Amino acid sequence: MQTNAKSSRRQRARGTLDWRKLESKWQKKWAEAKIFETDPKPDRPKFFVTVAYPYVNSPQHIGHGRTYTMGDVDARYHRMRGYNTLFPIAFHYTGTPIAAMSKRLSQADPEIVETFTRIYHVPSSKLDEMKDPLRLARYFHEEIRKGMKEIGFSFDWRREFSTVDPLYKRFIQWQFRRLRDNGRITRGTHPVGWCTNDNGPVGMHDTMGDVEPEIGEFFLVKFEQDGIVFSTATLRPETVFGVTNLWINPDAQYVQAEVDGERWIVSKDTVQKLQLQNRKVAVEKELSTKDLLGSTVFNPVIRRKIPIFPGAFVDPKNGTGVVMSVPGHAPYDYQALEDLKSRAGPMVNAVLGWDEIKPVSIIQLDGYSDIPAADAVKKFHVQSQEDPKLEQATKEIYSAEYHRGVMKQNTGAYSGMNVAKARDTVVQDFTSQGLITKMYEILNRPVICRCGTEVLVKILSDQWFLDYGEADWKKLAHECLDNMTLLPEDIRPQFEYAIDWLKEKACARRVGLGTPLPWDPSWVIEALSDSTIYMAYYILSKYLSREWMTFKKFEKAPEKLMDEFFDYIFLGRGDPGEVSTITDIPKRVVEGIRREFEYFYPVDMRHSAKELIPNHFSFYIFNHVALFPRKHWPKGIAANGHVLMNGQKMSKSLQNIIPLRQAIQTFGADPVRIGVLVTAEMGQDTDFSEQLARSIEERLVNLLVQAKKLGISRGKKKSGRPVSILDRWMLHMLNEMVKQTTNAMDSLRVRETIQRVLYQMDNDIAWYLKRLGPLKRGINSRDLVLRKILEVRARILSPLSPHVAEEAWSLLGGRGFVSIAPWPEPDDRSLYPEAEISENFVKQVLEDTIEIMKATGIKPKTIMYYTAPDWKWKTYLRALEFANSGTDASRVGDFIKMIMSDPEIRSEGKPAADYANKSFQQARQLKELRSSRVKTGSVDEAGILKDAKEFFQREFKASVKVQKSGTKEIDDPKSKAKTAEPYRPAIYIKE
Ligand SMILES: [Zn+2]
C-alpha cells in the first residue's frame, strides 16, 4: 500500500529521526539488561499476564497487533506498578490449517500463491520448501517473532516454545490422561461441524474469518401427497396450526428420494446433509419445480389440503429447502404471500385459484394485532421478500411470541399454553405420531472452511469428546467466572451464555500437526483442545532454555518424563524425592520448579480477541476448573475488538491487510502501537489509517524534540522554583492527569489514557506557554516545570510507546530504564485547585472577548473588564446554598425576602431584588458545578484578571483595564459595570 517514492519522501520530511535506529537501540539495551526476564521474587507481588499464542499459518497483520500490544501495555504497566510481571509467548502449530495450506501450495493453487507472495510478501524462492507443513510453520513462526521484537513487546523470550515440541506433547498427554481420569472425556456419537472436502471436523480456526460453526436443531414437519412426504424444516413446529401453504424456491433443484424407508421431496442440496447425519438416502429422480408448484399437499394437523407456492426467499441450502408457510406469525411468509398477490406472471396465474388465502391467527400476543407478522412487516418498512430487514422483523416476532405468546383456541389441545410449552409438547406428541423428525443444521450458516467448502453438520460416531455439556462441569466453570475480572465487564453475559450453551466438543482428529491422543494414537488432539492450560507450561519451558538445560535429556526420549513429574509440579501430588528418582532431575530443582509454579500461578490476566469468548476463552476456564485446585483458577480475561482499516473490515479481497512488520517499517513501532489503541476502548473496534499513524508520529517526534531541548537546558539554569500561579496551574493539571490516567489504566482504558497523556497534555502545555509569553530574564521556572511534566509523561507513555519514552527519559537524564521506573504517583503538594479555577476563568474571559470582537467586528484599542461587586457575590453564593436545599421554583419569594433582610444588600435597592431573583434561577440550573462553586466561595476575579493583564494585552494587541464594580471613581463610559456578575465579568471593547 505504501509506494517507495512516498516513503522516501517521508524519510526526508522526518528530518533526523530514524525510527529503526531508535527502536533497535532500545530493544538491544532491554535484551542486554534482561529486564523482561522474570524469575520468582518471593518478597514481591507477582502479575502473570498472557496473550493467546499466535497460530503460525500466516504473518501477523495490524489487527493482531492490537491484542498483543494491549497485553504488552498491561504487562509494562504492572511492571511499573511494582509487580514482578511474567509475560511469556509461544507458538501454536496444531491442527489442519497449516497442512491444508501446504497442500494448496503443492497444488500451485493460484489464490494461495497470490496471498503468500502479494499480501504476505513471502519470497517466491521460499514457496517450494513451504509445501512441507512444518517448514511452512517455522517460516511464519520466525516472521511473527521478528515482528514481535520489532514492535517492542516485553516478552520473557527464554520461555518461548511451540506446540509440536516433544516435551509440550508430553505435557498435553498428561493433561488428557488427567481429564479422562476426571471423567471429562467421553466417546460417543455427536453432531460436529464438518468439511466434506477435508473429510474432517471443523472448528473456528479452520474457517474463513474464524467463525465458530453453531449447530442447532431443525424440526422436519411432514406434509403428504399421495404417499410422498414433503419434509419442511422449521424452528417453530407449534405454528403448524397456522400453515396456509408450502414454499419451494422456483429456481432450485429438488429430488424425490427414499429416506429411511419413506419417500421424501427435498432440495438436492439436502441429500448430502441427510447422509452426513446417518440417514439412508437413495435419490430416485430429479424434479422440475413446475411439477411441484400449484399442486397440493395434506396438512395432517388441520386435516386440509394446502397448495405449494413459489418463494424466492427460500434457500435450498438451508434445512430441506421446503418451508411451511405461516403468514400470520412469520414475516417472511407474510411478505412472500403479499408479493405473490401483487406480482403478475405465469406462476401466479397458475395458482390464482388460491388467492383467497389469508393469514391464520393462532397465537395471542399482547401489544400486537391478530397478525403479528403483518405488524412487523409494516414496522420495519419491508419492501419485498428479498428485503434484508425481514431478518430483524423475524427475530423480533420469534422472540416476542416465544416469551409472551399464548396458543389460541384453534390449536386444540394446546390452546391456552404458552408458546415455549406448546413447542415442547407438539414436538413430543408429533414425534410419537411420526409427523415430526429432527435434523441438525449450522445456525449461523454459511460458515466456510478455509478450503472454500461450506461447513455442514455430520454426526460422528466413536469420536472423542470433551464433555462440556456436563452439568457439574458447567457449575464449576460458572463459579470460576463469577470470581473473574472481565475487561470490559459488559462481556460477562456472553460468557454466561457460552458456558451454558457449550456441548460435547470433538477434541481429536485423524490428521494435522499436534499431539497424539495418549490412549489412541491414531487420533491427534485438535487446536482448540491443546491450547487450554498451556500457560502452566511457561513455568517448565524456562527450564528448557540454555540457562537451565534441565530437560535437555528428555527431548530425545520424552516418554521418560513421567506423569508423576507433572502431577507434582502442577498439582502438588506425590513426593519430590520420588519424582527426582524417577526423572533423575535433582530434588532441589524439582522443588524449585514447583515453587515457581506456585509463585506465578494462576494467570492474572489473559488477553485475546473477543470472538474467542465462545470457544478458546471458555475452554480455558473449563479445563482449568477440571484440573486445578481453586487457588490456581484464572483470575482475569481481556477481550479485544477488531482493527478496521479506514473504517472497513480488513479482508484479502479488499487488499487492505497490512502485515505488522510492514506497518512498523512504514510508520515506526510506537505510532503503530498507539495507532491500534487510540480510537476505541478495548471491547470496541478501532480504526487505523495512515493519516492517524502520521499524526501520532508527529506528536511523538515533537515530544523528543522537546526532550532534547530540555535535556540541554538541564543544569544550565539553576534559578527558579515553580512558584507563579501559572506554574501551579500547570503542575496541578499534571497531577490531575496522573490521577486520571492511573485510574484509567487500572481497568486498561487505554484510549482514555492516550487522550489524556498525549492530547490533553499537549493542549495544556500549549496554554501554559501561551500564557507565559516570552521569557523574562531571571524567572526561569518554566523549564523546570516542563522537565517535570516530560519526566512524568515519559513514564505514563512507557507502556504505550516504550521506545520514545526511553529516548525521552534518557535525554532528560533519567536513571535506568523508564520501562522499569516506578509509575508516577500523584503529588498532593502539587494540588492547587484555586489555580485551576483561576485559569478556567481566564480562558472563559478570553473566549468571551473573542466572541464579542467577532460579533461586533471591532478591532479594540482598549478593553475594559468589570468584575462583580461584593454584594452580588454574597447573593450568588447564598442562592447556590439555598438551591442545594431544594430547587422548587415556588421558593423564590422566600429567597428574595431573606436576601433583602441583609441591610448591606438592601441598600442597593431594586437592582438587588432583581439580581436575587436572577441568581435564584441560575442556581437552580446548575448541577455539579453548584457544590464546587459553593466550596470555592467568592473568587478574586479582579485580582486574577489583573495578573493576566499582560497576557490579554499580548493576545489582543490592545490596552486592558480591570475594574471591580461597586468601587468608587470607576471608569465606566457605557455603564457596563452594573451588568457584571460572578463568573461573568462585563466586557467593554473600545475602538
Ligand atoms: Zn475444508
Side-chain angles (χ1 to χ4, degrees):
M1 56 149 289
Q2 181 73 29
T3 65
N4 285 335
K6 220 171 169 183
S7 55
S8 66
R9 247 200 331 275
R10 199 170 45 73
Q11 204 76 39
R12 282 197 298 278
R14 251 205 229 131
T16 50
L17 185 61
D18 179 341
W19 283 105
R20 275 315 306 145
K21 206 171 137 196
L22 178 83
E23 289 153 6
S24 48
K25 174 172 105 185
W26 290 107
Q27 286 157 13
K28 213 171 137 221
K29 284 178 191 260
W30 293 332
E32 280 166 3
K34 302 176 190 268
I35 58 172
F36 304 133
E37 295 183 2
T38 311
D39 298 308
K41 291 194 176 69
D43 55 328
R44 275 178 58 199
K46 64 91 187 182
F47 189 74
F48 186 10
V49 51
T50 63
V51 187
Y53 48 27
Y55 198 62
V56 290
N57 68 339
S58 62
Q60 293 203 300
H61 57 66
I62 220 160
H64 300 108
R66 181 180 184 195
T67 299
Y68 291 88
T69 303
M70 193 61 103
D72 188 51
V73 169
D74 199 5
R76 286 174 173 275
Y77 173 63
H78 278 88
R79 229 173 254 129
M80 295 178 75
R81 289 298 298 268
Y83 289 90
N84 187 29
T85 301
L86 176 58
F87 185 43
I89 192 68
F91 295 85
H92 202 191
Y93 282 45
T94 309
T96 45
I98 290 171
M101 279 183 137
S102 286
K103 196 171 153 196
R104 286 174 73 192
L105 273 182
S106 309
Q107 296 159 344
D109 177 335
E111 197 195 318
I112 198 97
V113 171
E114 170 163 327
T115 301
F116 272 47
T117 51
R118 294 222 8 227
I119 299 178
Y120 299 163
H121 302 288
V122 176
S124 30
S125 61
K126 286 266 173 201
L127 290 183
D128 222 34
E129 67 182 54
M130 291 167 91
K131 290 171 188 168
D132 169 12
L134 210 54
R135 292 179 83 174
L136 182 143
R138 296 247 182 262
Y139 177 85
F140 287 127
H141 178 155
E142 194 51 41
E143 190 67 16
I144 295 169
R145 180 187 10 222
K146 279 182 190 154
M148 288 175 158
K149 289 191 166 171
E150 285 162 2
I151 200 168
F153 292 152
S154 58
F155 291 127
D156 181 349
W157 284 103
R158 296 172 304 166
R159 299 175 189 261
E160 178 189 357
F161 63 86
S162 90
T163 61
V164 292
D165 293 353
L167 285 181
Y168 184 78
K169 292 182 174 180
R170 199 71 194 140
F171 164 73
I172 295 298
Q173 293 196 324
W174 167 80
Q175 175 191 355
F176 270 72
R177 271 192 289 261
R178 289 297 164 261
L179 284 170
R180 202 179 179 204
D181 294 346
N182 297 354
R184 303 305 183 190
I185 294 179
T186 58
R187 191 174 208 193
T189 300
H190 296 287
V192 297
W194 188 262
C195 172
T196 52
N197 181 41
D198 302 331
N199 229 347
V202 175
M204 172 186 178
H205 285 321
D206 311 304
T207 64
M208 304 257 193
D210 288 334
V211 186
E212 177 73 27
E214 274 178 52
I215 297 170
E217 275 176 343
F218 268 132
F219 299 98
L220 305 188
V221 180
K222 297 176 186 175
F223 294 78
E224 258 189 66
Q225 182 192 54
D226 306 327
I228 295 175
V229 174
F230 284 73
S231 272
T232 62
T234 180
L235 293 166
R236 307 184 58 188
E238 75 283 2
T239 59
V240 67
F241 297 97
V243 171
T244 57
N245 60 288
L246 299 191
W247 299 111
I248 61 169
N249 186 316
D251 300 319
Q253 286 191 304
Y254 287 82
V255 294
Q256 179 181 309
E258 200 185 295
V259 179
D260 293 339
E262 287 179 343
R263 186 157 288 160
W264 283 18
I265 296 209
V266 291
S267 71
K268 198 176 173 188
D269 295 299
T270 309
V271 172
Q272 187 182 29
K273 295 196 288 190
L274 291 172
Q275 286 166 334
L276 285 172
Q277 296 182 25
N278 295 343
R279 287 181 186 271
K280 269 206 154 98
V281 186
V283 175
E284 291 174 344
K285 60 176 175 186
E286 300 209 355
L287 299 167
S288 141
T289 49
K290 271 200 201 118
D291 302 336
L292 298 171
L293 288 168
S295 64
T296 58
V297 293
F298 186 68
N299 183 340
V301 178
I302 52 171
R303 312 202 64 74
R304 226 166 43 129
K305 278 187 172 181
I306 53 168
I308 300 174
F309 286 164
F313 74 95
V314 174
D315 182 350
K317 292 186 173 196
N318 195 27
T320 54
V322 186
V323 176
M324 64 184 207
S325 168
V326 189
H329 302 278
Y332 269 107
D333 300 338
Y334 178 86
Q335 184 60 41
L337 217 50
E338 288 294 301
D339 290 355
L340 202 60
K341 284 176 189 165
S342 64
R343 283 178 196 173
M347 211 65 255
V348 179
N349 294 335
V351 298
L352 264 186
W354 294 95
D355 67 1
E356 79 273 17
I357 280 184
K358 295 222 164 57
V360 179
S361 176
I362 58 157
I363 295 168
Q364 176 69 42
L365 182 61
D366 285 349
Y368 289 82
S369 71
D370 273 350
I371 311 298
D375 301 346
V377 160
K378 210 177 281 167
K379 178 180 160 190
F380 287 95
H381 304 288
V382 170
Q383 303 298 325
S384 73
Q385 63 193 288
E386 286 91 4
D387 195 329
K389 292 196 288 284
L390 270 170
E391 240 359 274
Q392 247 178 306
T394 301
K395 265 190 193 140
E396 184 174 301
I397 295 297
Y398 183 106
S399 162
E401 291 191 341
Y402 185 76
H403 291 110
R404 300 189 280 116
V406 177
M407 304 302 286
K408 285 188 171 177
Q409 281 206 319
N410 54 359
T411 61
Y414 309 96
S415 165
M417 275 186 199
N418 65 46
V419 168
K421 171 119 193 278
R423 184 172 305 167
D424 290 345
T425 321
V426 162
V427 167
Q428 233 169 43
D429 295 351
F430 289 21
T431 305
S432 65
Q433 294 167 39
L435 296 176
I436 282 186
T437 182
K438 282 182 198 173
M439 173 190 185
Y440 292 105
E441 183 58 283
I442 304 286
L443 293 182
N444 55 339
R445 66 170 295 278
V447 176
I448 312 294
C449 175
R450 284 187 194 268
C451 74
T453 312
E454 183 173 342
V455 176
L456 305 176
V457 181
K458 179 173 168 68
I459 296 179
L460 263 194
S461 34
D462 288 340
Q463 166 81 12
W464 295 102
F465 292 90
L466 282 160
D467 193 4
Y468 295 132
E470 226 250 316
D472 272 6
W473 201 356
K474 286 186 192 293
K475 215 175 131 200
L476 290 176
H478 275 296
E479 186 190 330
C480 177
L481 179 69
D482 290 346
N483 292 303
M484 278 173 94
T485 303
L486 299 180
L487 297 177
E489 171 60 30
D490 62 16
I491 57 177
R492 192 170 295 275
Q494 294 179 57
F495 271 105
E496 304 276 3
Y497 176 81
I499 290 175
D500 287 336
W501 174 85
L502 279 169
K503 296 190 182 72
E504 299 86 356
K505 152 97 185 142
C507 62
R509 308 264 167 99
R510 292 292 187 189
V511 290
L513 299 172
T515 305
L517 207 55
W519 57 86
D520 187 353
S522 63
W523 294 90
V524 178
I525 297 165
E526 61 85 46
L528 281 162
S529 302
D530 85 336
S531 55
T532 58
I533 61 158
Y534 69 89
M535 314 78 208
Y537 188 78
Y538 284 124
I539 306 299
L540 296 189
S541 60
K542 184 184 95 174
Y543 293 87
L544 271 166
S545 65
R546 231 172 312 176
E547 176 184 359
W548 288 82
M549 309 276 271
T550 306
F551 300 120
K552 191 78 201 155
K553 60 185 171 213
F554 298 113
E555 286 192 306
K556 290 248 157 57
E559 68 284 354
K560 290 196 173 154
L561 197 58
M562 311 290 280
D563 281 357
E564 283 82 350
F565 171 79
F566 298 106
D567 281 343
Y568 177 71
I569 298 299
F570 297 128
L571 306 176
R573 282 188 207 156
D575 174 66
E578 276 170 35
V579 171
S580 170
T581 312
I582 295 171
T583 57
D584 207 18
I585 301 171
K587 186 171 163 225
R588 86 191 141 71
V589 178
V590 172
E591 285 171 334
I593 300 174
R594 168 69 183 162
R595 267 200 306 277
E596 177 153 0
F597 174 74
E598 289 232 87
Y599 175 80
F600 281 118
Y601 235 65
V603 177
D604 295 284
M605 190 54 71
R606 176 151 185 82
H607 288 256
S608 198
K610 64 183 175 187
E611 68 267 22
L612 297 187
I613 292 172
N615 44 67
H616 168 72
F617 274 140
S618 292
F619 300 158
Y620 167 63
I621 295 174
F622 269 99
N623 280 268
H624 271 88
V625 301
L627 293 164
F628 294 97
R630 281 181 173 72
K631 63 175 178 178
H632 289 151
W633 288 4
K635 295 182 82 168
I637 279 178
N640 287 275
H642 298 265
V643 177
L644 306 175
M645 281 301 300
N646 297 308
Q648 279 184 306
K649 237 184 133 162
M650 275 188 263
S651 78
K652 276 179 215 158
S653 57
L654 289 172
Q655 304 244 331
N656 63 352
I657 296 178
I658 311 182
L660 193 58
R661 294 191 66 197
Q662 190 190 330
I664 298 166
Q665 286 282 330
T666 313
F667 306 112
D670 288 353
V672 169
R673 292 173 64 111
I674 292 185
V676 293
L677 300 177
V678 69
T679 62
E681 294 295 5
M682 188 181 285
Q684 267 85 48
D685 294 348
T686 60
D687 191 9
F688 187 88
S689 67
E690 176 169 349
Q691 197 191 6
L692 175 71
R694 298 290 179 226
S695 74
I696 294 163
E697 180 188 20
E698 200 175 308
R699 276 181 196 267
L700 294 177
V701 169
N702 284 342
L703 218 68
L704 287 181
V705 170
Q706 215 193 358
K708 209 170 225 169
K709 273 193 207 152
L710 293 168
I712 292 165
S713 78
R714 179 164 53 102
K716 267 192 201 163
K717 290 163 188 164
K718 294 203 167 56
S719 64
R721 267 187 335 154
V723 282
S724 76
I725 180 104
L726 264 177
D727 292 345
R728 282 183 182 171
W729 174 80
M730 194 63 247
L731 294 175
H732 175 80
M733 296 312 280
L734 180 69
N735 242 317
E736 286 292 315
M737 189 272 286
V738 171
K739 266 198 271 180
Q740 285 156 349
T741 51
T742 307
N743 182 285
M745 287 297 283
D746 280 339
S747 37
L748 281 182
R749 291 197 311 277
V750 167
R751 171 184 187 271
E752 182 187 333
T753 305
I754 298 169
Q755 292 293 347
R756 292 190 189 280
V757 66
L758 209 54
Y759 295 81
Q760 186 57 45
M761 257 297 115
D762 271 354
N763 291 347
D764 288 344
I765 292 171
W767 174 257
Y768 172 67
L769 294 177
K770 182 163 150 170
R771 281 279 276 118
L772 271 181
L775 273 194
K776 291 190 203 106
R777 244 169 293 165
I779 46 160
N780 286 328
S781 55
R782 186 194 71 175
D783 285 1
L784 210 67
V785 171
L786 290 179
R787 205 149 47 225
K788 187 168 166 69
I789 295 171
L790 195 55
E791 220 174 82
V792 170
R793 288 178 100 187
R795 285 193 271 169
I796 293 178
L797 279 168
S798 172
L800 303 157
S801 56
H803 308 93
V804 166
E806 288 290 4
E807 185 70 15
W809 183 255
S810 93
L811 285 169
L812 291 172
R815 287 178 58 190
F817 294 101
V818 72
S819 294
I820 47 172
W823 184 260
E825 300 268 349
D827 178 3
D828 282 341
R829 288 164 310 169
S830 295
L831 280 179
Y832 307 106
E834 72 284 358
E836 189 179 357
I837 291 162
S838 89
E839 277 316 291
N840 283 345
F841 181 62
V842 172
K843 269 185 203 169
Q844 182 63 47
V845 171
L846 180 77
E847 278 162 27
D848 288 350
T849 312
I850 292 171
E851 273 307 303
I852 295 174
M853 282 163 56
K854 265 193 205 151
T856 57
I858 294 175
K859 246 190 135 211
K861 281 207 181 71
T862 308
I863 299 172
M864 306 228 204
Y865 292 124
Y866 305 95
T867 60
D870 291 337
W871 67 267
K872 278 192 182 172
W873 271 102
K874 214 170 179 181
T875 307
Y876 183 71
L877 292 172
R878 281 188 189 168
L880 296 179
E881 275 166 25
F882 195 79
N884 267 347
S885 61
T887 59
D888 187 346
S890 68
R891 300 178 67 209
V892 62
D894 295 344
F895 178 70
I896 295 175
K897 219 161 134 194
M898 184 188 93
I899 289 295
M900 295 307 276
S901 69
D902 181 324
E904 194 194 327
I905 298 177
R906 192 170 56 232
S907 70
E908 298 292 331
K910 188 174 181 298
D914 289 346
Y915 182 66
N917 182 20
K918 189 174 179 189
S919 59
F920 176 85
Q921 308 301 347
Q922 283 174 349
R924 286 183 64 213
Q925 307 299 326
L926 288 180
K927 301 224 158 61
E928 298 100 61
L929 259 184
R930 197 196 296 147
S931 313
S932 73
R933 284 190 174 175
V934 168
K935 217 174 125 201
T936 304
S938 83
V939 176
D940 176 16
E941 293 176 340
I944 294 170
L945 291 182
K946 276 175 190 160
D947 270 353
K949 192 170 145 180
E950 268 181 58
F951 165 68
F952 284 121
Q953 297 195 142
R954 217 165 47 232
E955 285 298 304
F956 296 124
K957 299 190 176 60
S959 75
V960 167
K961 195 166 179 184
V962 179
Q963 302 171 90
K964 184 168 176 175
S965 308
T967 44
K968 277 176 212 156
E969 290 166 19
I970 196 167
D971 177 10
D972 185 12
K974 296 280 175 191
S975 300
K976 290 269 184 186
K978 63 175 188 287
T979 63
E981 288 172 17
Y983 293 102
R984 288 179 188 174
I987 303 172
Y988 171 50
I989 295 182
K990 207 168 132 191
E991 270 179 293

